[in-house]
Amino acid sequence: MAACELLSSSSSQYSAMGKFRIQGSPVINLSEIVSSSSNVNNNIDDTTVNKQPPESPIQVTEEQKLVWLGAAKEAARLAGKEVRSAFYREKTVTMKSSPADLVTETDQNVEKMVFSFFRRKFPTHRFIGEETTAAGVPIELTDEPTWIIDPIDGTNNFVHSFPFVAVAIALSVNKEIEVAVTYNAILDVMYAAGRGMGAYRDGKRISVSGATDIKESLVVTTAKSLLTPTKMEDTFHNLRSLLERGRGIRNLGTAALNMCQIAEGAAEVYFEFGIHCWDMASGALIIREAGGVVLDTAGGPFNLMGRCMLAASSMDLAQTVASGLRHDHKKPDTVEPVYLRSTKD
Ligand code: IPD
């Protein structure tokens, strides 16, 4: 099957308004999530795999990538159906780290569903997921095929029924992202990429705008709420310097879909601090396959575990923005960095 055929979508419409309520106590059943979604390997001994990583990299063929991409799209559509059916209903919401960091039963159910889907298809594959991590499972990325999943990217949007909510799925092999999908489950738009195969929106090839000048650039970023006064000052500094030089600032409220705006040339710069590997994995590949540049916010090599990203339609633009940013350093997702090679390597 051609790569672009793996990208077509069916359409769907929803209209009712939803409500939500926030609960104080967590709704996560830790043991259930851990047992259903930890790095379970039905065929081989995981301990052995972890202690003795393969000496030579796992070979990845184009055929395998197409199979994985097809599976990722199927999983995203199944997940999207769940997300849409819950989107306008009353939601049970639980706070995580702050009143702006929320989780719903749908996030947790969709993550379990997606893990089970892949486990049935690929019993030896491993998993990293936002809600599994929130439930206490450590993030561990080995060379083995590992699905990195954000079941609902834009949980705040989901809670408010703001129609930018993504299912973000990426597969890492040898610590490289090989296939990725970001699916706007409400508007039914599928972004997809395979390493070395290009990036697509609903089956059509996409590419960055190529802009090199900040004066001609739209910037996409999240100005996080409820920060400490110092971090708030740094945020205002960053926004101000970009507003003074660029064409404007936008935010869709989901990191994964923000990144897709760079990939399809709708905006030129994206940066964010504090995001995690499941927010970044799919977008990083989609942007690079669309011809864009993905770095860390200081303009250095992109670390999937580094909790920040700067993406742009060109290297010149990325470096201009990096040099003007005040940085917000967060504890990385893992101690060992994971630097993704350029997709041209
Ligand atoms: C969040 C969204 C948001 C970004 C946050 C993420 P979640 O993901 O992507 O746009 O600013 O950093 O955590 O929690 O909705 O999956």
Side-chain angles (χ1 to χ4, degrees):
M1 199 184 307
C4 59
E5 281 175 50
L6 291 167
L7 274 294
S8 61
S9 296
S10 58
S11 64
S12 44
Q13 297 287 324
Y14 292 82
S15 58
M17 271 310 285
K19 296 185 181 124
F20 61 89
R21 74 196 146 87
I22 297 191
Q23 286 192 336
S25 58
V27 291
I28 297 175
N29 177 341
L30 179 68
S31 57
E32 192 187 336
I33 290 193
V34 171
S35 63
S36 69
S37 60
S38 58
N39 293 328
V40 174
N41 182 328
N42 295 341
N43 291 355
I44 51 173
D45 176 355
D46 261 358
T47 335
T48 313
V49 170
N50 290 340
K51 286 185 184 151
Q52 299 171 356
E55 281 172 12
S56 52
I58 298 165
Q59 295 303 309
V60 175
T61 64
E62 295 293 298
E63 290 70 28
Q64 272 175 316
K65 278 194 242 184
L66 289 176
V67 169
W68 292 332
L69 195 51
K73 287 182 58 192
E74 197 183 335
R77 287 228 164 76
L78 283 172
K81 211 167 151 196
E82 284 297 305
V83 173
R84 280 196 299 273
S85 74
F87 187 65
Y88 291 111
R89 287 207 303 264
E90 184 174 339
K91 291 131 185 152
T92 304
V93 184
T94 304
M95 251 192 272
K96 293 205 277 190
S97 60
S98 81
D101 183 16
L102 306 175
V103 63
T104 70
E105 282 167 315
T106 310
D107 295 69
Q108 294 161 346
N109 293 340
V110 168
E111 181 158 313
K112 279 194 262 185
M113 195 182 113
V114 173
F115 277 27
S116 308
F117 173 90
F118 285 126
R119 195 172 291 121
R120 275 196 305 276
K121 278 198 180 297
F122 311 112
T124 62
H125 287 190
R126 302 165 64 87
F127 298 91
I128 294 170
E130 176 173 17
E131 305 316 330
T132 314
T133 305
V137 177
I139 296 171
E140 191 188 8
L141 187 67
T142 68
D143 284 344
E144 297 298 316
T146 303
W147 294 96
I148 304 174
I149 291 157
D150 190 344
I152 297 188
D153 187 56
T155 302
N156 255 316
N157 287 353
F158 175 74
V159 166
H160 287 266
S161 303
F162 185 81
F164 292 86
V165 174
V167 179
I169 298 176
L171 179 68
S172 160
V173 184
N174 303 317
K175 300 198 184 81
E176 287 295 332
I177 307 300
E178 292 292 348
V179 300
V181 302
T182 297
Y183 179 49
N184 183 331
I186 312 306
L187 303 182
D188 188 22
V189 178
M190 178 78 77
Y191 298 90
R195 189 168 140 78
M197 298 162 81
Y200 300 81
R201 172 188 163 139
D202 290 338
K204 292 201 185 97
R205 191 88 186 238
I206 53 173
S207 62
V208 297
S209 74
T212 54
D213 192 337
I214 187 72
K215 287 204 286 294
E216 293 165 6
S217 300
L218 270 187
V219 177
V220 188
T221 189
T222 301
K224 286 199 164 47
S225 52
L226 308 173
L227 296 174
T228 61
T230 312
K231 289 193 171 155
M232 201 60 101
E233 275 310 308
D234 290 348
T235 300
F236 289 148
H237 166 91
N238 291 342
L239 295 180
R240 186 186 171 123
S241 101
L242 290 162
L243 285 170
E244 280 168 352
R245 294 179 295 155
R247 277 204 179 135
I249 295 182
R250 305 284 186 269
N251 176 28
L252 296 181
T254 127
L257 285 173
N258 280 342
M259 291 171 204
C260 290
Q261 306 316 302
I262 309 308
E264 64 178 322
E268 281 69 32
V269 179
Y270 163 79
F271 75 92
E272 185 158 354
F273 303 99
I275 44 181
H276 293 273
C277 58
W278 47 81
D279 298 308
M280 302 191 278
S282 64
L285 183 70
I286 292 169
I287 292 173
R288 282 187 169 172
E289 286 295 322
V293 173
V294 178
L295 302 171
D296 74 11
T297 47
F302 174 64
N303 171 11
L304 180 63
M305 299 299 169
R307 306 285 312 276
C308 67
M309 183 196 277
L310 168 62
S313 58
S314 67
M315 183 57 91
D316 283 354
L317 190 50
Q319 295 299 346
T320 305
V321 173
S323 62
L325 288 178
R326 281 192 196 161
H327 297 273
D328 181 4
H329 299 287
K330 302 279 186 194
K331 186 170 173 256
D333 277 333
T334 59
V335 177
E336 284 300 313
V338 174
Y339 296 113
L340 304 180
R341 291 192 306 273
S342 152
T343 57
K344 294 177 194 90
D345 293 344

